[in-house]
Amino acid sequence: MPITFDFTDKVVFITGAGSGIGRATAEAFAAAGADVAVTDTTDEPLRETARLVEAYGRRAFVALCDVTDGRSIEDAVTAAGDTLGPIDIAVNNAGIEQPPTPLAETSEDEFDRLMAVDLRGVFLSMKYEVLAMGERGGSIVNISSGAGVVGIKGQAAYAAAKHGILGMAKSAALDYAAQGIQINAICPGIIETPMMDRFSGGTPEGRARVIAQEPIGRMGTTEEIASAVLWLSSDLGGFAVGHALVVDGGQTIGIS
Ligand code: NAD
């Protein structure tokens, strides 16, 4: 029996939707019939994501939203709900990378910046999404990282934030499972995105260095992460609660 995703008339809210995994996830939900609220810190890339959503005949709602600012998230969640209808699914994807730096050389400001976006941003997003979903229930998928399940040299602050997402998601999943809000996380490996381009330097040598971490011998695609988000958010994924789904080409399974 073919298994297809059907999100017809569902409303999806995505942070960091102007690029990479967030944009691909918006497009995948639209292709499966959903209307999508796309949010990020800059307007122009969001307009392009909205165009991709609308190309599937679905409605897109664009909101500027900085996940470090609770008020900004609350406003975006409210405006999305007012325009598209109550939010059924939220994807907390916004994040920033840490240029490789040993712990003691990481400045206090840099640590705080990473925590503000990559950890506190997910806390604030979940907080206002849960409040908006209320008794209707829904699904929340948080984007962690391979750095959420193993340590990575030069990534102490980023890994702390990404490990933190998993503890927070598991705990919140227990808070709201009985209320019908299903909370999970995904841990992607090395994925071909603008973030990974910046991280690797985008040079053939830099790309080869990051691909060397991947037993599968290539980077993952944004669609390979988006499809995992769709599964977790679908009825078929309904029994996954507080799960950290590692989708990483084998990057974190052991020493090879
Ligand atoms: P990306 O840089 O292409 O996209 C991230 C988006 O988040 C950008 O559009 C950016 O503007 C937005 N963003 C940054 N700060 C924000 C803020 N304060 N408020 C709202 N939006 C903000 O990156 P990506 O590779 O698509 O990464 C998406 C998520 O996946 C991130 O959480 C990242 O940590 C995670 N991740 C990526 C990889 C990878 O290899 N690319 C691997 C593991 C995890």
Side-chain angles (χ1 to χ4, degrees), residues 181-248:
I181 301 179
Q182 182 193 352
I183 300 178
N184 290 290
I186 292 177
C187 304
I190 305 281
I191 310 300
E192 180 106 52
T193 68
M195 175 187 284
M196 187 44 66
D197 244 19
R198 293 190 296 273
F199 187 79
S200 70
T203 59
E205 304 74 41
R207 290 173 59 85
R209 184 170 38 78
V210 293
I211 288 171
Q213 295 177 25
E214 284 289 3
I216 199 169
R218 64 170 176 87
M219 292 194 202
T221 66
T222 53
E223 290 77 13
E224 286 172 315
I225 303 306
S227 63
V229 177
L230 265 64
W231 173 69
L232 278 175
S233 311
S234 72
D235 291 343
L236 293 168
F239 207 52
V241 172
H243 184 51
L245 178 58
V246 178
V247 184
D248 75 345

Side-chain angles (χ1 to χ4, degrees), residues 38 45-58 60 62:
V38 292
L46 276 180
R47 299 274 161 206
E48 172 59 14
T49 306
R51 199 189 58 72
L52 292 168
V53 168
E54 286 162 357
Y56 288 96
R58 302 310 312 183
V62 170

Side-chain angles (χ1 to χ4, degrees), residues 2 12 32 51 64 75 78 89 97 104 113 120 124 134 146 153 164 180-181 190 194 208 226 229 234:
V12 182
R51 199 189 58 72
L64 288 177
D75 287 350
T78 303
I89 295 156
E97 70 277 19
R113 189 179 74 94
R120 191 168 179 274
L124 291 172
K153 193 177 175 196
I181 301 179
I190 305 281
V229 177
S234 72

Side-chain angles (χ1 to χ4, degrees), residues 19 21 40 66-67 93 144 158 162 189 191 193 195-196 198:
S19 178
I21 293 168
D40 208 312
D66 181 340
V67 298
N93 160 81
S144 174
Y158 182 78
K162 294 297 187 179
I191 310 300
T193 68
M195 175 187 284
M196 187 44 66
R198 293 190 296 273

